[in-house]
């Protein structure tokens, strides 16, 4: 096993030496130049419109130390709400997704129709409209407060995509596995629990991580129903201070930190499961 | 329903027909298998052999005729299908072991989940059968670490752990090389000696000759003849059987 791998390493070494534009440092240089140009454009644009950068004012909205006491700023509190919202949504999304996938795969005709209709309805309407529907129509009927309207709306939206990811994972387990399990007399529940899902879950992990990342990003939309999440807090700060460049850049960086961290974890997980 | 007389067969196929779309795979097949009987089914590929035995535990659904196991007819309205399947062991060409479980866990899954045995009892039974198929030392490994012959024997042990009343074998040696074929056939021989009812789809005519009570030849969805091996090999009545035998035995 060692031979071919080592050889291909040598080969790529050779290639790197020959083609200097493929070298790692050139990649980094390209990236640096690109980012620098982008930042330069931003700064010169801001200067051109006479924007008054006040980065020094940003930290107080994250965290403040008043008389030796640590006080969380509005952005930190908003982040906590966003994470709480996302956390609950992940759980409910997975539950809805699993239910939708199992319904799609069930023998029940009405179950399959129901699951398909759900998928089409969610995919065919804008998330913003769904949020409004939940907030103005279902929220009052079910007696849900804003936070839970946000959680449910996000979960119902992402649950449809999670359902597809779960279904694809289940369908990729070989037919012989179903037959072997059924031949032992396993019930459908035990077949899924002990044979199919343990093999399907590793295959679902990458797409499901994508869905969690998308949940974090899409959670920003709950700001339209005045849930005090990261985005809402940012809007409020900007309304008071006009620090729109600094705050939006900071908020984007915060979202990015979490999504990138999650991507890294997901990659590790995927490699671990494959090994 | 538990009324079982000696004359009543364990498995009864009565005019069983099945279509895949417009193609008729089974054409009114009749077969009766008594308890303790060993049947070998052979025939060219595409003749419906596999489909036939897969109808016995309803992995395939027949569309006409009757499939009766131990007095219970299997049909669309069979509610206790899992109940029936636990009594019918099945061995597949591709082994179909559960790759995420060890060999031991493969053998324990059915007894714990379906028969409600305690893990300790199930482990004892699993080791007993792994011993019988001569791979007790492989118990802790995952299927991917085993040779094909070992995997197939593990699969046989997994089925036996359910203490089935009949064992179905669907071309159990077709995916194996000659050395491994012998390992598996030896185990199947032992099993036959122990009095297990067996229905085996195979091209191993040596096995058929020594183990089978009756050998059935299938072609184009029908059982052309079903005879004790001495008569089957010595003077088959049908020309198609003769031609098949001359082809397969010339190798």
């Amino acid at each position: 096993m060692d031979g071919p791998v080592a050889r291909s390493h040598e080969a790529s070494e050779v290639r790197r030496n020959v083609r200097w534009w493929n070298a790692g440092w050139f990649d980094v240089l390209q990236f640096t130049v690109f980012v620098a140009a982008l930042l330069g454009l931003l700064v010169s644009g801001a200067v051109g419109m006479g924007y008054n950068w006040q980065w020094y004012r940003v930290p107080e909205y994250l965290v403040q130390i008043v008389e030796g006491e640590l006080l969380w700023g509005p952005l930190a509190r908003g982040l906590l709400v966003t994470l709480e919202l996302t956390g609950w949504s992940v759980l409910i999304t997975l539950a809805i997704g699993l239910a939708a996938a199992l319904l799609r795969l069930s023998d029940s005709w009405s179950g399959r129709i129901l699951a398909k209709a759900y998928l089409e309805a969610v995919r065919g309407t804008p998330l913003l409209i769904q949020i409004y529907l939940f907030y103005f129509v279902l929220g009052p009927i079910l007696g849900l407060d804003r936070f839970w309207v946000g959680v449910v709306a996000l979960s119902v939206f992402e649950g449809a995509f999670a359902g597809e990811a779960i279904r694809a994972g289940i369908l990729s387990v070989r037919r012989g596995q179903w037959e072997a399990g059924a031949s032992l007399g396993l019930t459908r529940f035990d077949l899924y629990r002990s044979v199919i899902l343990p093999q399907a879950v590793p295959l679902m992990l990458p797409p499901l991580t994508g869905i969690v990342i998308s949940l974090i990003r899409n959670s920003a939309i709950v700001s339209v129903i005045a849930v005090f999440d990261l985005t809402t807090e940012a809007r409020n700060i900007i309304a008071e201070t006009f620090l729109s460049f600094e705050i939006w850049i900071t908020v984007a960086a915060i979202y990015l930190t979490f999504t990138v961290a999650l991507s890294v974890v997901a990659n590790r997980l995927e490699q671990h499961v494959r090994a | 329903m538990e009324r079982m007389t000696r004359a009543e067969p364990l498995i009864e196929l009565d005019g069983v027909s099945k279509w895949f779309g417009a193609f008729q795979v089974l054409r009114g097949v009749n077969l009766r298998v008594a308890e303790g009987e060993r049947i070998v089914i052979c025939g060219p590929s595409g003749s419906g052999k596999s489909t036939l035995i897969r109808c016995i535990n309803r992995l395939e659904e027949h569309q006409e005729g009757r499939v009766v196991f131990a007095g219970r007819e299997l049909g669309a309205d069979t509610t206790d299908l899992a109940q029936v399947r636990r009594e019918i062991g099945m061995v597949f060409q591709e082994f179909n072991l559960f790759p995420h479980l060890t060999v031991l866990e493969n053998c324990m899954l059915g007894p714990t989940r379906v028969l409600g045995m305690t893990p300790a009892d199930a482990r004892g039974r699993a080791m007993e059968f792994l011993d019988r198929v001569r791979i007790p030392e492989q118990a802790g490994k995952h299927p991917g670490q085993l040779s094909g012959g070992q995997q197939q024997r593990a699969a046989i042990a997994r089925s036996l752990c359910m203490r089935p009343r009949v064992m179905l074998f669907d071309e159990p040696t077709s995916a194996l090389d000659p050395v491994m074929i012998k390992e598996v056939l030896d185990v199947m021989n032992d099993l036959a000696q122990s009095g297990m009812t067996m229905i085996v789809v195979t091209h191993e005519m040596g096995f058929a000759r020594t183990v089978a009570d009756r050998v059935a030849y299938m072609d184009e969805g029908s059982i052309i003849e079903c005879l004790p091996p001495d008569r089957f090999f010595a003077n088959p009545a049908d020309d198609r059987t003769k031609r098949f035998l001359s082809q397969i035995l010339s190798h």
Side-chain angles (χ1 to χ4, degrees):
Chain A
M1 275 312 222
D2 259 337
V5 173
R7 258 201 305 283
S8 83
H9 264 288
E10 280 163 24
S12 69
E13 277 314 314
V14 171
R15 207 167 43 238
R16 274 196 190 143
N17 289 338
V18 174
R19 297 187 188 162
W20 57 271
W21 61 86
N22 271 347
W25 61 265
F26 187 68
D27 250 3
V28 174
L29 185 72
Q30 252 181 330
F31 179 75
T32 314
V33 168
F34 175 72
V35 170
L38 209 65
L39 281 177
L41 213 63
L42 190 72
V43 170
S44 73
V47 168
M49 64 188 272
Y51 191 85
N52 178 22
W53 291 96
Q54 304 177 62
W55 280 104
Y56 67 92
R57 290 179 63 189
V58 171
E60 68 181 277
Y61 296 107
L62 286 165
V63 65
Q64 248 182 323
I65 295 169
V66 179
E67 291 166 5
E69 221 181 321
L70 196 77
L71 290 177
W72 293 111
L75 284 183
R77 291 199 302 271
L79 175 62
L80 197 67
V81 172
T82 289
L83 291 180
E84 215 177 314
L85 191 83
T86 307
W88 284 110
S89 299
V90 168
L91 293 181
I92 301 175
T93 295
L94 290 178
I96 293 177
L98 186 61
L102 294 182
L103 272 181
R104 279 287 298 270
L105 295 167
S106 76
D107 296 329
S108 150
W109 177 84
S110 55
R112 289 200 305 267
I113 295 282
L114 192 72
K116 186 87 176 116
Y118 161 59
L119 179 71
E120 290 304 327
V122 165
R123 277 208 296 219
T125 52
L127 176 55
L128 186 62
I129 305 303
Q130 292 174 28
I131 289 261
Y132 282 141
L133 270 176
F134 274 95
Y135 184 57
F136 290 112
V137 181
L138 289 176
I141 293 172
L142 301 173
L144 294 174
D145 69 18
R146 289 175 181 149
F147 179 83
W148 288 103
V149 166
V151 168
V152 170
L154 279 174
S155 305
V156 166
F157 178 75
E158 296 290 348
F161 300 96
E164 287 299 281
I166 291 170
R167 191 172 74 104
I170 289 172
L171 285 178
S172 58
V173 175
R174 295 211 332 275
R175 197 175 111 151
Q177 294 290 309
W178 296 84
E179 293 181 346
S183 299
L184 287 177
L186 291 175
T187 60
R188 212 173 167 81
F189 176 75
D190 279 332
L191 187 55
Y192 270 115
R193 178 173 62 149
S194 307
V195 177
I196 304 304
L197 287 180
Q199 297 182 61
V201 165
L203 304 169
M204 298 171 195
L205 278 182
L208 284 181
T209 311
I211 282 166
V212 174
I213 290 173
S214 138
L215 260 176
I216 293 181
R217 281 188 287 119
N218 284 338
S219 72
I221 209 167
V222 299
S223 63
V224 301
I225 56 171
V227 174
F228 283 82
D229 74 324
L230 184 54
T231 303
T232 306
E233 296 286 8
R235 286 205 324 200
N236 291 346
I237 295 167
I238 290 161
E240 286 173 20
T241 63
F242 302 104
L243 293 172
S244 43
F245 280 31
E246 295 88 337
I247 296 294
W248 283 132
I249 290 170
T250 305
V251 164
I254 294 173
Y255 279 114
L256 197 61
T257 307
F258 282 90
T259 52
V260 168
L262 210 60
S263 288
V264 171
V265 169
N267 280 337
R268 291 261 168 85
L269 213 63
E270 198 183 338
Q271 277 161 12
H272 177 74
V273 164
R274 291 228 174 116
Chain B
M1 291 303 278
E2 281 304 303
R3 185 184 55 89
M4 272 279 293
T5 58
R6 281 231 162 263
E8 208 170 340
L10 181 61
I11 293 164
E12 188 178 355
L13 303 179
D14 192 6
V16 172
S17 292
K18 178 172 178 64
W19 289 258
F20 286 134
F23 175 68
Q24 187 168 7
V25 249
L26 296 177
R27 297 170 188 269
V29 175
N30 298 308
L31 182 69
R32 280 172 177 69
V33 182
E35 192 122 38
E37 217 183 351
R38 298 173 293 259
I39 310 280
V40 164
I41 303 175
C42 61
S45 57
S47 58
K49 314 176 295 280
S50 292
T51 309
L52 181 69
I53 68 164
R54 287 160 61 87
C55 282
I56 296 173
N57 66 350
R58 212 168 159 73
L59 286 181
E60 300 287 355
E61 297 175 5
H62 60 284
Q63 284 137 353
E64 271 177 22
R66 297 190 325 136
V67 176
V68 183
F69 173 77
R72 285 168 287 185
E73 181 170 352
L74 306 186
D77 53 350
T78 307
T79 50
D80 58 347
L81 194 56
Q83 181 76 35
V84 173
R85 281 174 172 163
R86 70 164 75 165
E87 296 177 31
I88 305 177
M90 178 106 188
V91 174
F92 302 86
Q93 180 179 346
E94 302 292 341
F95 329 134
N96 294 344
L97 289 166
F98 306 131
H100 59 296
L101 301 177
T102 64
V103 168
L104 183 65
E105 289 165 342
N106 264 276
C107 293
M108 289 169 62
L109 184 65
T112 51
R113 287 286 148 73
V114 180
L115 304 179
M117 289 174 74
T118 65
D121 289 350
R123 181 184 303 266
R125 184 184 280 191
M127 285 314 298
E128 176 194 329
F129 283 111
L130 286 174
D131 218 39
R132 265 184 62 183
V133 302
R134 298 165 204 157
I135 48 169
E137 74 286 353
Q138 311 293 340
K141 290 189 187 166
H142 281 82
Q145 299 168 277
L146 271 56
S147 74
Q150 291 169 332
Q151 287 191 50
Q152 192 58 297
R153 285 183 284 158
I156 292 172
R158 175 177 67 180
S159 288
L160 290 175
C161 282
M162 297 298 291
R163 294 253 159 87
R165 296 179 65 180
V166 59
M167 286 284 283
L168 309 176
F169 293 83
D170 188 1
E171 305 208 22
T173 56
S174 298
L176 301 174
D177 68 37
V179 178
M180 298 175 183
I181 289 176
K182 186 177 178 315
E183 296 169 2
V184 171
L185 290 181
D186 284 349
V187 164
M188 290 169 64
N189 250 311
D190 289 353
L191 194 58
Q193 298 310 315
S194 75
M196 175 64 77
T197 310
M198 293 162 75
I199 304 179
V200 185
V201 171
T202 186
H203 292 133
E204 296 295 330
M205 290 301 113
F207 178 82
R209 209 188 283 271
T210 53
V211 173
D213 295 310
R214 283 186 291 155
V215 182
Y217 175 72
M218 269 190 92
D219 196 9
E220 295 183 341
S222 307
I223 292 181
I224 306 297
E225 49 196 324
C226 187
L227 297 167
D230 49 347
R231 280 167 56 201
F232 181 86
F233 290 107
N235 50 354
D238 197 280
D239 282 343
R240 283 172 288 181
T241 317
K242 283 177 194 160
R243 212 175 315 126
F244 177 77
L245 283 177
S246 71
Q247 280 166 1
I248 204 162
L249 294 178
S250 65
H251 292 306

